[in-house]
């Protein structure tokens, strides 16, 4: 007997044939109607039990969460709410689910409770939808780059470099912390560690990806990255996935074009391939926002917001223009910003970014040409000598979703900058080699995958868009 | 001016038009013929310089490794060796490459030398080909599972679990190793570590993937995994990528079918999409093997070997049958095996696996139904009470490429096994929950990505099929 997926049964092509289906009970009504789900779609298939000819013990075991194997006939449903249903002829309980103990009851659970049950929350409608959307987005990312001729590069997770400079790092070691080997001067003898030196978890694959871009032309990474920062916010994870394309011969404007085109492609793919899931997530968000005051609710419904991104170019605004807008803004004049913008050179805080994106432009914004001294060492210095070819893409409700730049391709300028910032040239000898041999302009960016998933699913806490979140004081599961 | 990729120029559709191209010099012959590569293909485009009208200084800067930007006319080539070439009208040196210093000279380098220059080796034909093939394989993997309706799951890299049991683990910490906080009893106070407990790098995402399979039905992981094992061999890495599908309702034979179908699909995809790269790697392998004695050379050329896998079912052999074959084999009788097979229950060593695959069956082999006590705690116990539904897929020249099993779905049997092996049930409470609520049979496997890349590229050292290998005493770049 071949078993069908719920998704295929709901498509109806097997109507009036004998079918088999396996899945988990979502609800069981009137001792007769099983709503069965197998994860292939957010929708359940109604399975109608001939309760008069089914023994009482079996009926009692049809509880929320139980795993069933059913045989029967797929028929057009007479009832409201579904087009097709299975008239069950044979029913087998594969695995019970004690109704008293199963944590995922058929009722509304708080997101916090669901986080504590991250191994089971994916059995709910919302988390099934989120994780299918996440998977579709990941596939769309690979397909986009493959169609464009990019090579996918796995840059290392364990790195000997301390200089990547994107944030605090976790240490990786095989040393026994109860018996740390020491050198004569008392310092730790990393020669005895697995890699023979001090190693960390990567904060970015960019520097390695650059070496590949200077050979293969167009490359991208898509892998886990890490920050040991004690940021207990709804937008930060200690472990998250990042996409980092890097393209030889691209300047900063090519880089912006790529980022926009890329983001549109993956959102479009997901809208096209996850219709039911996104429709559900849209209604979930509407429900959630009902409890909020009007002013805090989203101006657009989820699909409106996604289509807005597809149909409107991102606003491209230089840092200098942004500072002017902010200086003259009401919240700045009224000192409503926690950090009042006084002059050019100020680092933008999340409150400023939100103002620009959500109040002023009401659109995704690309800020570019930042002051050199608030950006990383590898960014291309502009001819003005004080700004660098950096860009950040800011999204409504999310904040920074992309950070990128044209890279400094000039060996002497790069070395001078590293010296100024005290970055070890010996450690990055291989990075400098890309500027020694056949250097060329090139650009790239990093996109935080979970922030993209947040945007597309309309969820508001980043812990709800990754299967098992890692945050300060939490590495459960 | 739009610039074309070398791959597109070689396709010839732009013949007799003005084109622009950017890339790196592979060779420069007769002060006239540049072989230019941009990574889009293994093939170079010949660019013919009008040397009589180009100044001497510029001509001198056209050296191996230099980055160039060229304009000219794409024409049919009169010379042998290429169909199309660019008659250069304008030439710009973007980045010089000092011929005396550039490590990647246009000559044969040892693989060891290239490993020491992993940031530059991708500028060679062989490593460009390997990395394009690797990327194509990765895409094929995602496409296969997407077409089959699997959900891609990112399982965590940092794990609080010690019990995964697949090997030695790296510790992840944010503690300052010079000032380790201690409790009153002198033990390390992990409450002060980032996650509030002792954490490691994952050795497998299987246990987490199982929780997702029991909701979404069919899932897979594809991410980095880690082993802190001091294995300095040509088949081991401390950091490698693994693919782990997990499918609800699949038994061991469904699992074997999935693995075979999957491996064939991705190999077929790569043969279809990386023709030039694989042709090059085949000839590279033939060259390499010329220096070996006849007996050590491959019996099949690379593409023959790949097609053999496409066209022949893998041999399915129970462990018990395999022991019989080995006991009666010549090397066993003549005590040529380092570990002579005496009786049922022996753990198979690499020499035994190689004998079965390379000498006896001359085919990929799936060994299944292993003795319970040489396999992991989560594997489904057979009715004989002594074997488990495990399977290993062995490939010629590679050894174990897949390890998988049907999982023990019975709560009581699983708990008993964990007790017997001293595996902490409190730590794995969430794993046990999958057997408490709606349990069902399910199966999965892990495929080591780099071993697959080894097989498809015909390379023999695993350090040559990952961009920046991590091995004992080596975390450079």
């Amino acid at each position: 007997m071949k078993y069908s997926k719920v998704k295929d049964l709901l498509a109806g092509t097997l109507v009036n044939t004998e079918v088999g289906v396996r899945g988990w009970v979502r609800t069981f009504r009137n001792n007769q109607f099983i709503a069965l789900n197998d994860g292939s779609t957010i929708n359940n298939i109604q399975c109608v039990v001939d309760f008069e000819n089914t023994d009482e013990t079996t009926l009692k075991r049809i509880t929320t969460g139980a795993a069933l194997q059913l045989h029967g006939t797929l028929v057009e449903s007479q009832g409201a709410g579904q087009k097709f249903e299975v008239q069950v002829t044979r029913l087998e309980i594969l695995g019970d689910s004690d109704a008293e103990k199963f944590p995922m009851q058929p009722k509304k659970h708080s997101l916090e409770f669901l986080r504590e049950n991250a191994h089971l929350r994916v059995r709910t409608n919302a988390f099934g939808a989120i994780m299918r959307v996440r998977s579709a987005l990941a596939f769309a990312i690979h397909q986009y780059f493959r169609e464009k001729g990019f090579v996918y590069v796995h840059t290392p997770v364990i790195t000997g470099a301390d200089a990547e400079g994107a944030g605090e790092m976790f240490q990786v070691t095989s040393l026994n912390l109860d018996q740390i080997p020491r050198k004569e001067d008392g310092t730790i003898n990393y020669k005895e560690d697995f890699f023979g030196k001090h190693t960390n978890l990567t904060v970015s694959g960019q520097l390695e990806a650059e070496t590949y871009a200077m050979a293969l032309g167009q490359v991208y990474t898509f892998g886990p990255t890490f920050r040991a920062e004690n940021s207990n916010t709804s937008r930060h994870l200690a472990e998250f996935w990042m996409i980092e394309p890097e393209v030889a011969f691209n300047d900063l404007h090519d880089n912006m074009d790529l980022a926009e085109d890329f983001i549109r492609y993956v959102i479009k793919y997901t809208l096209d391939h996850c219709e039911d899931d996104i429709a559900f997530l849209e209604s979930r968000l509407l429900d959630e926002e009902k409890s909020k005051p009007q002013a805090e609710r989203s101006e657009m419904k989820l699909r409106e917001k996604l289509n807005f991104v597809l149909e409107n170019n991102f606003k491209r605004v230089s840092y200098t223009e942004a500072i002017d807008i902010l200086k003259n803004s009401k919240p700045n004049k009224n000192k409503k910003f926690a950090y009042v913008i006084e002059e050019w050179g100020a680092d933008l805080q999340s409150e400023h970014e939100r103002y620009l994106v959500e109040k002023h432009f009401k659109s995704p914004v690309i800020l570019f040409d930042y002051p050199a001294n608030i950006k990383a060492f590898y960014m291309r210095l502009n001819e003005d000598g004080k700004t660098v070819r950096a860009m950040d893409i800011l999204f409504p409700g999310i904040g920074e979703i992309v950070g990128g730049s044209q890279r400094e391709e000039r060996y002497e300028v790069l070395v001078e900058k590293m010296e100024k910032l005290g970055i070890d040239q010996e450690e990055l000898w291989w990075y400098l080699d890309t500027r020694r041999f056949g250097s060329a302009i090139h650009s790239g960016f990093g996109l935080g995958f979970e922030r993209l998933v947040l945007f597309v699913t309309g969820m508001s806490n980043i812990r709800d868009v990754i299967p098992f979140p890692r945050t300060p004081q939490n590495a459960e599961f």
Side-chain angles (χ1 to χ4, degrees), chain A:
Chain A
M1 174 91 214
K2 203 184 156 298
Y3 290 88
S4 299
K5 290 281 162 195
V6 169
K7 187 179 183 177
D8 298 328
L9 294 180
L10 292 172
T13 50
L14 294 172
V15 69
N16 299 322
T17 64
E18 293 301 300
V19 297
V21 62
R22 299 177 292 202
W24 294 270
V25 178
R26 285 292 168 87
T27 57
F28 184 42
R29 283 189 302 119
N30 295 353
N31 235 6
Q32 192 173 12
F33 302 108
I34 301 169
L36 195 79
N37 190 281
D38 67 359
S40 62
T41 158
I42 192 162
N43 301 306
N44 305 322
I45 182 91
Q46 174 158 290
C47 301
V48 187
V49 181
D50 177 8
F51 65 101
E52 289 176 343
N53 293 304
T54 305
D55 71 88
E56 196 63 26
T57 339
T58 304
L59 288 172
K60 280 202 175 134
R61 292 172 64 197
I62 305 175
T63 53
T64 296
L68 303 190
Q69 176 165 297
L70 301 168
H71 296 86
T73 314
L74 185 71
V75 299
E76 292 193 36
S77 176
Q78 304 304 308
Q82 62 279 321
K83 281 178 76 178
F84 302 99
E85 63 188 21
V86 177
Q87 294 286 354
V88 177
T89 52
R90 192 149 56 86
L91 182 156
E92 196 184 333
I93 312 266
L94 300 177
D96 291 289
S97 175
D98 184 333
E100 303 287 305
K101 293 183 184 156
F102 185 50
M104 301 290 109
Q105 294 297 316
K107 61 159 196 168
K108 210 169 164 55
H109 294 286
S110 75
L111 291 170
E112 184 50 40
F113 172 82
L114 291 169
R115 269 169 229 145
E116 289 162 10
N117 289 280
H119 63 308
L120 297 176
R121 66 177 176 174
V122 66
R123 300 186 188 193
T124 66
N125 284 331
F127 283 89
I130 292 164
M131 295 309 164
R132 278 186 298 270
V133 168
R134 183 181 167 106
S135 172
L137 274 170
F139 182 73
I141 288 164
H142 287 298
Q143 185 164 276
Y144 176 83
F145 287 120
R146 178 106 195 130
E147 285 176 1
K148 297 267 172 192
F150 282 64
V151 176
Y152 180 28
V153 179
H154 290 124
T155 49
V157 171
I158 298 171
T159 173
D162 288 319
E164 292 168 349
E168 289 293 307
M169 299 174 100
F170 287 105
Q171 183 170 356
V172 174
T173 182
S174 67
L175 295 177
N176 177 347
L177 300 199
D178 278 320
Q179 289 174 303
I180 295 181
R182 296 194 178 266
K183 293 192 282 196
E184 283 190 3
D185 63 3
T187 59
I188 297 169
N189 183 5
Y190 281 112
K191 289 259 180 285
E192 295 195 20
D193 207 347
F194 190 92
F195 296 107
K197 62 171 160 181
H198 182 272
T199 51
N200 294 315
L201 290 179
T202 186
V203 293
S204 161
Q206 177 200 318
L207 304 192
E208 289 91 350
E210 281 188 55
T211 70
Y212 265 53
M214 298 313 281
L216 300 177
Q218 306 178 100
V219 303
Y220 73 106
T221 72
F222 186 177
T225 44
F226 305 85
R227 298 281 187 285
E229 274 152 26
N230 206 355
S231 300
N232 235 326
T233 83
S234 60
R235 300 198 302 172
H236 292 88
L237 291 167
E239 173 180 330
F240 58 99
W241 284 64
M242 187 147 69
I243 298 105
E244 297 183 279
E246 191 72 35
V247 184
F249 314 119
N250 263 12
D251 66 19
L252 186 64
H253 289 278
D254 299 326
N255 203 29
M256 295 185 203
D257 292 343
L258 176 67
E260 273 203 60
D261 188 53
F262 164 65
I263 290 173
R264 284 215 188 85
Y265 178 100
V266 301
I267 291 178
K268 173 89 169 53
Y269 179 94
T270 314
L271 276 169
D272 290 346
H273 291 83
C274 302
E275 276 187 283
D276 294 344
D277 288 322
I278 291 182
F280 175 87
L281 291 166
E282 176 172 295
S283 63
R284 192 209 70 85
L285 184 58
L286 284 171
D287 272 359
E288 186 182 79
E289 294 198 331
K290 275 185 192 147
S291 62
K292 289 186 179 174
Q294 188 71 43
E296 287 175 30
R297 295 184 200 169
S298 311
E299 289 182 20
M300 287 187 255
K301 291 186 190 172
L302 181 58
R303 280 174 294 191
E304 279 180 283
K305 195 181 65 167
L306 298 176
N307 279 306
F308 181 88
V309 172
L310 297 189
E311 289 155 16
N312 294 279
N313 288 332
F314 301 178
K315 302 287 179 213
R316 299 187 182 189
V317 184
S318 74
Y319 167 88
T320 304
E321 292 169 75
I323 287 290
D324 282 344
I325 293 167
L326 289 167
K327 272 210 300 207
N328 295 316
S329 70
K330 270 194 193 166
N332 204 61
K333 289 180 171 168
N334 301 341
K335 303 206 189 303
K336 295 274 158 131
F337 283 144
Y339 296 84
V340 174
I341 297 284
E342 309 273 6
E343 58 187 6
W344 193 95
D347 204 353
L348 299 186
Q349 305 297 321
S350 155
E351 58 182 346
H352 308 126
E353 296 178 348
R354 293 194 64 161
Y355 176 82
L356 289 168
V357 170
E358 291 164 21
K359 302 291 175 195
H360 189 84
F361 289 108
K362 298 184 184 240
S363 156
V365 169
I366 310 184
L367 288 184
F368 63 94
D369 282 355
Y370 281 82
N373 59 0
I374 60 172
K375 288 289 182 182
F377 75 94
Y378 48 72
M379 296 187 181
R380 176 59 155 82
L381 192 64
N382 273 314
E383 275 58 47
D384 63 14
K386 62 177 190 172
T387 61
V388 286
R389 293 186 194 161
M391 66 168 199
D392 282 355
I393 302 186
L394 312 174
F395 260 43
I398 307 292
E400 183 190 324
I401 194 165
V402 161
S405 66
Q406 185 176 324
R407 319 306 188 187
E408 183 55 75
E409 85 281 11
R410 297 164 298 180
Y411 179 80
E412 291 75 17
V413 180
L414 185 61
V415 164
E416 195 182 320
K417 188 72 167 282
M418 290 170 76
E419 274 171 7
K420 208 167 116 187
L421 296 177
I423 291 167
D424 190 346
Q425 293 172 50
E426 275 180 43
E427 191 181 299
L428 291 181
W429 64 276
W430 50 273
Y431 185 67
L432 286 167
D433 265 5
T434 56
R435 275 68 171 175
R436 275 191 200 104
F437 305 112
S439 188
I441 69 162
H442 59 288
S443 300
F445 61 84
L447 180 141
F449 183 55
E450 282 73 19
R451 292 193 178 175
L452 179 66
V453 184
L454 269 184
F455 185 74
V456 175
T457 58
M459 300 299 292
S460 50
N461 191 319
I462 203 161
R463 298 165 198 215
D464 296 330
V465 298
I466 189 167
F468 300 98
R470 270 46 184 136
T471 52
Q473 299 297 309
N474 175 36
E476 193 64 42
F477 310 105

